[in-house]
Amino acid sequence: MDEPTTIEYAVAKKVKKVAPRRPTEGAQLLGQRAEFALFYYHHVAGLIRFVMRLGATPHEAADAVHTAFTEAFPRWAQITAPNAWLRTVAARSYLRQTAGREHPTALMPDLPGDASPLDAVTLKEEEQRVYIALTSLPPRQRHVMAWHLDGFTHSEIASALGITPEAVRQNYARARAALKHSLGLASKEGR
């Protein structure tokens, strides 16, 4: 009878040594930082491309994205939809950049250092044509198209931009038609 008790005691003692402790506040903070860093690593290039679709130069886009991630970091645990939140903040940051200047500035030289977020965004010739065509669209159509190209649904875009889903569909259809015409794809479909 004593033997099972001692075995149970030995197992319980061993489990107690191996079992993880309840996470402390410091460990939770470290986990949030790691989660944030991983999210940044996986999404920074896509977010820069998103802002470029709004008409930004690569440097303007990187600056707007950096601002968005900087604003996101202190409230990372409270952000429930980080993809949409970061796109909204980055777009607003870019629009604030352009609102204050009268004429576009020349390209800034690359920043010194080992790695730049722009290194992850290299555009092929075909992609550059699409980005140039996107800049010819009216702002609302350009915003809708940028969100759509990042995989958001019409209802998600409507919610993010504060417009109706019908307005999103209409702007998307117009943007798509304008892009087809601008890129010379409209005439090829009729053949």
Side-chain angles (χ1 to χ4, degrees), residues 38-56:
L38 192 60
F39 189 89
Y40 177 88
Y41 176 75
H42 287 292
H43 295 276
V44 70
L47 200 54
I48 290 172
R49 286 178 186 270
F50 170 79
V51 178
M52 287 174 62
R53 289 182 195 127
L54 299 178

Side-chain angles (χ1 to χ4, degrees), residues 18-29:
V18 177
R21 295 182 184 174
R22 209 169 83 193
T24 64
E25 190 174 310
Q28 287 174 343
L29 180 61

Side-chain angles (χ1 to χ4, degrees), residues 82-165:
N83 280 317
W85 192 93
L86 285 164
R87 277 165 178 72
T88 301
V89 174
R92 287 180 185 159
S93 175
Y94 165 65
L95 293 175
R96 278 192 304 268
Q97 285 177 27
T98 58
R101 68 170 190 251
E102 294 177 22
H103 302 288
T105 58
L107 286 178
M108 298 288 291
D110 283 335
L111 298 175
D114 291 340
S116 168
L118 293 178
D119 293 341
V121 183
T122 53
L123 300 177
K124 298 176 186 167
E125 185 178 332
E126 194 172 292
E127 288 176 308
Q128 289 176 352
R129 286 185 48 228
V130 172
Y131 281 85
I132 291 168
L134 283 168
T135 61
S136 69
L137 296 175
R140 179 65 74 193
Q141 291 177 17
R142 192 168 49 235
H143 277 85
V144 167
M145 186 57 77
W147 282 85
H148 177 76
L149 290 172
D150 274 3
F152 288 86
T153 65
H154 291 309
S155 59
E156 291 171 330
I157 297 169
S159 175
L161 297 179
I163 58 177
T164 65

